[in-house]
Amino acid sequence: MDEEIYQIAEQIVQTHQKAYKVYLPLVEDVCSRTASEDELSHLLDYLLDFACDEKILELYKKVCRRYLYIYPSCIKLYIEAYREMWENEDELKKENDL
């Protein structure tokens, strides 16, 4: 049972590493130009799914910061979506660390 849990955890880590490698160039591209709101929304949707990973969260924040003043209502929705999806989990992790 412990070995199965370890394998699953390792697969999750590998998936996050692969996602980072895929999304890094996309984020760099989107941040180097002005993307449409639809393109931005699609990218943020995908990044949000992996935003529990610190490296991907940094990509998410980078995109949000870049577009905050261009599409403020869109970015506000994604900040709220992140908080709803992941912040409670962060609080639980901190409580478990005590």
Side-chain angles (χ1 to χ4, degrees), residues 1-9:
M1 181 72 168
D2 288 340
E3 183 64 28
E4 287 177 32
I5 293 172
Y6 175 78
Q7 288 175 353
I8 291 169

Side-chain angles (χ1 to χ4, degrees), residues 3-21:
E3 183 64 28
E4 287 177 32
I5 293 172
Y6 175 78
Q7 288 175 353
I8 291 169
E10 184 62 31
Q11 289 173 349
I12 292 170
V13 169
Q14 289 175 2
T15 300
H16 287 166
Q17 290 171 346
K18 289 177 186 176
Y20 181 79
K21 288 178 183 178

